[in-house]
Amino acid sequence: MEASGISLRNDVFETYLSVKFELLKHLKRRRLLIIAALAIIVPLIFYVRVPDTASQFADEVLTFANLLIVVSAAMFAGDAVCSEFERKTNLLLFPTPQRRGTIFAGKYLAAVIATFVVVVLYYIVLTLQTAQLFGWGAIPGELAKSFLVAMIYSLAAVSVVYFFSAALKRSISSTIVGFLSLIMVLPVISFILQRVNQEPWFIITYSAGLITNVLGVSGNPLFGPGNGQSSLTEFMPKFGVGIAVMIAYAVVFLVSGMMIASRRED
Amino acid sequence: MEYAIRTENLVKRYSNNFTALGGVSLRIKKGEVVGYVGPNGAGKTTTIKILTGLSRPSSGHAYVNGVDVMARPREALRTIGALIEVPGVYDYLTPHEMLTYFGRVYRMSSGEIDRRIKESLELVKLSDWEHKRMGTFSTGMLRRLTIAKAILHKPDNLILDEPVLGLDPEGIRDVRELIRHFRNEGMTVFLSSHLLAEVAEVCNTVIFLNKGKVVSSDSIENIGRSIEQRVVNVKFLRPLSAEETQKLRAIELVRNVEVEDGVARLWYDGKPESSAKILRLLVSSNFDVVSYNVESAGLEDYYVSVMGDGKKGN
């Protein structure tokens, strides 16, 4: 019992060290700085044309949130595992008294924290903008719900990219495959399914539509087969199902990625 | 007896059926400096990767200070400092930042980390580079830096895999001096190399590995003795006359003589007492002997002989 307690304490401490070291690396490589700058600058672009209501403004600004999350996940998790093998830094890092699992857990958590920082910044800027344009009272309550969805989607997106980082050999491949999966492959599959009148409820990028949908301004107006007439089917991700799908992706891809990473040898 | 490093019948087989290690058992005593020698692909790095927890054996065990590396890696790896192949570094970090992280991993206090970083970098002559980005370092500097990382926590055992690979002569000399320093400090050093001169310079014992099997293992002294040829080289003050050469041939224990100017090669039975007697006879016969030494084959010759046997065995 005592031994397992010590082991857990060691695991927690080693994971903490790994998170700190990874965040230092994100800072020194200026990735965190660049994406944080994007998170601050991009909302400012939406001053170009300000809509009538606060909800509409938030909805417009948040259309970019999805892309920002995917870019962050690709930047922070894309080379988390494979770069250690590719650049042979694993030869420095692994022959040390720490479990490999704690090193990789730290890498994942650091990528999640960095992505969270970016998302938080984005929502802070959006909130300040909305308050400045429409007054504090006009800030839609659903923005908090959207923020929660964005955080959970961040977790899932990082897991997906992290999985590719553990499974593929080269950093550039894992970053591109992870990025394209979330930005193109899954949305295309989602689109095709909707064209054949199937709700793609199990696809994470479809669930990510909740980030804006919860504001109740615009739906996710994707149409089913219409045989040239007006029989259109609109699909909207359901909140509970969407959240559950994101959590499932986060867990499954993280666990698979960790297992591959821990067993990986040169 | 508790060995610093011990392996029991290590086998490493890859999925393509290639056997990198075919049952390697090693015994390395504390304070020994052991050379692990073999051609490329012999299994040296595979052994080292298993000893440092980088790779899992298909069967067998590896122990450091009596601790099973696979069963209790944290405990085993705490007493090891390792330099394996040519590791990469985080180009965008400084040595201070990188070593601080590793110091924490080894549970050193902040004060101890700062002190040890300074000491280690001074030892590898990188003190002036403590706060410079590693991306600007030369190959030799990086190698010395990774040695500094290996000794940061003052390990009992140092495992060095081809530490001079790719270094220029100055870099090779620096690393050799460092290994001598570690030997004098009483550290156990396990040095894998295919450079025999390197091993002969710094090691007490040599283990020869070929095709995943230990083919020979002995102390440098014993190897030296076993490779002594049955020839003595004698240098005389002046070139020998025909009469003097004849006198040499007449010496009872000398089987054959080859003379060139003032140097003679004398073949005998190889026994040390015969060598001593020949010297006495030369002096008593009024030869002006300047130098007298038993001719020895190099470690290379020994290497070729044991590897040749290993090849036959396989």
Side-chain angles (χ1 to χ4, degrees):
Chain A
M1 196 72 175
E2 197 182 334
S4 66
I6 291 169
S7 178
L8 180 67
R9 268 207 303 278
N10 281 333
D11 283 353
V12 171
F13 182 68
E14 286 162 14
T15 306
Y16 160 73
L17 287 182
S18 176
V19 169
K20 250 179 89 172
F21 191 50
E22 286 302 309
L23 288 174
L24 172 72
K25 290 197 284 186
H26 291 322
L27 277 170
K28 295 289 281 194
R29 280 195 285 189
R30 299 203 171 90
R31 287 184 180 181
L32 188 53
L33 205 69
I34 291 166
I35 299 180
L38 267 181
I40 293 169
I41 294 165
V42 167
L44 305 179
I45 296 167
F46 292 88
Y47 275 127
V48 173
R49 194 187 66 84
V50 179
D52 297 336
T53 67
S55 290
Q56 282 172 336
F57 180 72
D59 183 72
E60 279 185 15
V61 175
L62 288 176
T63 50
F64 185 75
N66 192 327
L67 179 64
L68 189 71
I69 289 168
V70 174
V71 169
S72 299
M75 285 292 114
F76 301 129
D79 63 353
V81 177
C82 55
S83 72
E84 296 288 353
F85 294 91
E86 190 182 358
R87 298 177 59 86
K88 288 192 174 285
T89 42
N90 64 325
L91 300 174
L92 278 186
L93 194 58
F94 296 161
T96 50
Q98 53 185 341
R99 273 201 322 118
R100 214 181 279 194
T102 61
I103 298 173
F104 291 127
K107 284 175 173 290
Y108 172 77
L109 287 175
V112 167
I113 290 169
T115 308
F116 277 2
V117 166
V118 172
V119 172
V120 167
L121 275 175
Y122 196 72
Y123 274 82
I124 286 175
V125 175
L126 166 62
T127 308
L128 291 175
Q129 280 179 298
T130 313
Q132 186 239 327
L133 290 170
F134 303 98
W136 287 100
I139 294 171
E142 289 77 15
L143 199 58
K145 216 169 166 185
S146 163
F147 175 68
L148 176 73
V149 174
M151 296 296 258
I152 297 171
Y153 181 57
S154 301
L155 209 63
V158 169
S159 290
V160 170
V161 180
Y162 182 85
F163 168 80
F164 288 116
S165 175
L168 299 177
K169 278 195 171 175
R170 295 174 61 85
S171 305
I172 188 79
S173 318
S174 62
T175 305
I176 290 173
V177 171
F179 180 77
L180 288 183
S181 301
L182 293 169
I183 219 69
M184 206 163 83
V185 179
L186 291 175
V188 166
I189 295 170
S190 175
F191 177 77
I192 292 168
L193 285 171
Q194 288 175 85
R195 293 289 294 176
V196 295
N197 209 19
Q198 292 294 314
E199 186 185 6
W201 60 269
F202 51 88
I203 290 181
I204 188 183
T205 47
Y206 173 75
S207 305
L210 284 169
I211 292 173
T212 49
N213 287 352
V214 291
L215 294 171
V217 178
S218 60
N220 188 10
L222 294 154
F223 305 102
N227 68 2
Q229 303 299 308
S230 59
S231 70
L232 302 170
T233 309
E234 274 192 32
F235 291 112
M236 296 265 279
K238 291 174 194 70
F239 188 77
V241 174
I243 296 291
V245 167
M246 286 189 224
I247 291 172
Y249 269 71
V251 172
V252 169
F253 279 92
L254 170 63
V255 171
S256 314
M258 287 284 286
M259 280 169 65
I260 296 169
S262 298
R263 282 174 169 73
R264 192 164 165 172
E265 289 184 10
D266 283 335
Chain B
M1 178 181 190
E2 188 181 289
Y3 291 94
I5 294 169
R6 178 165 67 94
T7 67
E8 293 290 352
N9 208 23
L10 276 188
V11 174
K12 179 70 181 179
R13 211 171 286 116
Y14 290 98
S15 50
N16 59 1
N17 260 345
F18 172 70
T19 303
L21 293 178
V24 169
S25 296
L26 305 173
R27 301 273 185 283
I28 295 166
K29 290 179 205 147
K30 289 185 176 168
E32 262 192 311
V33 179
V34 177
Y36 197 42
V37 173
N40 292 334
K44 305 186 295 290
T45 300
T46 306
T47 312
I48 282 177
K49 282 187 173 173
I50 292 172
L51 277 169
T52 52
L54 277 165
S55 184
R56 293 174 199 82
S58 307
S59 65
H61 293 275
Y63 302 90
V64 176
N65 290 344
V67 180
D68 190 326
V69 178
M70 269 63 72
R72 286 146 68 199
R74 269 194 189 116
E75 207 181 317
L77 295 176
R78 191 154 288 143
T79 58
I80 283 182
L83 168 62
I84 301 158
E85 291 178 334
V86 183
V89 294
Y90 305 100
D91 292 347
Y92 38 86
L93 297 182
T94 67
H96 183 88
E97 288 162 342
M98 186 181 81
L99 295 176
T100 298
Y101 166 70
F102 284 112
R104 297 217 167 99
V105 167
Y106 284 105
R107 305 291 201 274
M108 294 157 71
S109 67
S110 298
E112 200 184 356
I113 290 172
D114 285 342
R115 183 176 56 79
R116 281 299 299 157
I117 288 176
K118 296 221 178 308
E119 285 174 3
S120 307
L121 290 179
E122 196 178 325
L123 192 64
V124 298
K125 299 176 189 163
L126 285 175
S127 295
D128 295 340
W129 298 80
E130 185 178 343
H131 297 288
K132 304 226 162 71
R133 283 181 55 194
M134 294 183 280
T136 60
F137 287 16
S138 69
T139 311
M141 288 165 75
L142 289 174
R143 194 65 54 81
R144 282 185 277 136
L145 175 63
T146 49
I147 291 177
K149 182 257 162 188
I151 57 162
L152 182 72
H153 58 298
K154 284 202 162 181
D156 301 334
N157 310 300
L158 195 57
I159 296 179
L160 304 172
D161 181 23
E162 301 282 4
V164 298
L165 194 71
L167 294 185
D168 58 21
E170 199 183 342
I172 291 174
R173 189 201 58 202
D174 287 347
V175 171
R176 192 185 297 152
E177 276 172 15
L178 281 170
I179 297 170
R180 280 206 196 94
H181 173 84
F182 301 141
R183 183 178 65 187
N184 297 340
E185 294 267 295
M187 230 180 240
T188 306
V189 182
F190 184 50
L191 166 75
S192 125
S193 180
H194 66 276
L195 298 177
L196 295 170
E198 207 55 45
V199 170
E201 281 270 345
V202 295
C203 297
N204 321 113
T205 306
V206 188
I207 298 168
F208 292 88
L209 189 77
N210 193 22
K211 295 186 176 175
K213 287 185 175 166
V214 174
V215 288
S216 175
S217 167
D218 213 334
S219 69
I220 286 277
E221 274 178 20
N222 284 344
I223 289 172
R225 270 190 223 114
S226 72
I227 56 181
E228 274 177 6
Q229 305 273 35
R230 294 171 176 192
V231 178
V232 283
N233 281 315
V234 190
K235 191 173 180 191
F236 299 98
L237 193 59
R238 288 175 296 276
L240 297 181
S241 64
E243 190 189 339
E244 284 171 321
T245 305
Q246 207 50 47
K247 263 171 83 177
L248 278 182
R249 291 188 201 282
I251 294 173
E252 184 193 345
L253 292 162
V254 173
R255 293 172 178 174
N256 192 19
V257 176
E258 201 176 77
V259 178
E260 196 177 330
D261 296 330
V263 179
R265 293 181 80 211
L266 311 179
W267 273 259
Y268 71 115
D269 61 9
K271 291 177 187 164
E273 49 273 25
S274 303
S275 164
K277 198 170 174 187
I278 292 168
L279 178 60
R280 272 202 305 276
L281 286 169
L282 286 172
V283 175
S284 64
S285 306
N286 291 326
F287 281 99
D288 293 323
V289 177
V290 174
S291 68
Y292 182 91
N293 54 348
V294 176
E295 197 174 273
S296 172
L299 197 53
E300 284 86 358
D301 298 291
Y302 185 79
Y303 176 91
V304 169
S305 71
V306 294
M307 290 306 167
D309 289 343
K311 278 172 196 162
K312 276 177 212 161
N314 285 298

